[in-house]
Amino acid sequence: MTLAQAPHGFLSSTGVEIAFLLVGLVTLGAALVTVTTRQLVHAALWLVVALGGLAVEYLLLTAEFIAWVQVLIYVGSVVVLLLFGLMLTKAPIGRSADADSGNRWAALAVAVAAAVALVWVVVDAFRTTWIDLDGPAAGTTEVTGASLFRHWVLPFEALSVLLLAALVGAIVLSRKAKADAPPAAPGKEGAR
């Protein structure tokens, strides 16, 4: 009987599952700090940690292609786009009272309800499903590419249009702010 055929308990303690749990806890902590910090740049950097943790989780699930897509697209592109948006729109870099809307308790209640619903659905859907780590890799580039471009081509392209619209919006906002700014005062060079 191989390890994949052995009966699994709810909390079986293989090294992969322990690493998955620990990385998941770090990712959850980084995500919580991302949404609770009042400094926008710190939120973006904690978002990098949370998205990087998700990439590690994909690696632990033997989905190497998805892990690299996570790193290249989300960590590499989305966070850089977010930081460019912060720089181009002259958003406050330090602590800002504007970063808190005063609806923290309502937001927390909605977030907890959504998390409970998501965990419930995922646990119910995959209760008896186990990943065979000794079998053929299910997250290879060939399998993932075939699934992505067969079933998910439209959402994939919509995401690229969304990223392009966000970048164009940041550029438009930065140019508008420059056009509205008063002209600079002439220098004192003519007084000599």
Side-chain angles (χ1 to χ4, degrees):
M1 180 181 291
T2 65
L3 184 61
Q5 295 170 342
H8 292 280
F10 179 69
L11 294 175
S12 60
S13 59
T14 64
V16 174
E17 291 171 347
I18 292 171
F20 189 86
L21 180 66
L22 292 176
V23 172
L25 290 174
V26 169
T27 304
L28 178 66
L32 288 175
V33 173
T34 299
V35 297
T36 57
T37 187
R38 292 186 182 192
Q39 295 183 353
L40 294 176
V41 174
H42 289 180
L45 295 176
W46 280 108
L47 182 63
V48 168
V49 174
L51 294 174
L54 284 176
V56 172
E57 298 284 41
Y58 289 135
L59 281 176
L60 290 172
L61 292 173
T62 68
E64 295 88 7
F65 178 69
I66 300 296
W68 285 112
V69 168
Q70 175 78 16
V71 169
L72 292 174
I73 301 222
Y74 287 102
V75 176
S77 301
V78 173
V79 174
V80 168
L81 184 65
L82 179 74
L83 290 173
F84 277 159
L86 287 174
M87 289 185 280
L88 289 174
T89 59
K90 297 182 182 177
I93 300 297
R95 289 188 178 267
S96 173
D98 295 341
D100 190 8
S101 69
N103 295 324
R104 283 183 176 250
W105 294 110
L108 180 65
V110 169
V112 167
V116 167
L118 181 64
V119 167
W120 180 273
V121 167
V122 169
V123 167
D124 188 48
F126 298 106
R127 183 179 309 269
T128 60
T129 304
W130 294 93
I131 295 173
D132 182 13
L133 297 176
D134 296 328
T140 61
T141 307
E142 180 181 355
V143 172
T144 305
S147 174
L148 180 67
F149 291 113
R150 184 174 299 130
H151 305 293
W152 300 103
V153 116
L154 188 61
F156 190 74
E157 291 301 322
L159 178 64
S160 65
V161 171
L162 177 70
L163 292 174
L164 179 64
L167 183 59
V168 169
I171 291 171
V172 167
L173 286 174
S174 71
R175 289 189 180 268
K176 186 177 180 182
K178 287 180 183 177
D180 293 342
K188 296 181 180 180
E189 296 174 4
R192 290 185 189 188

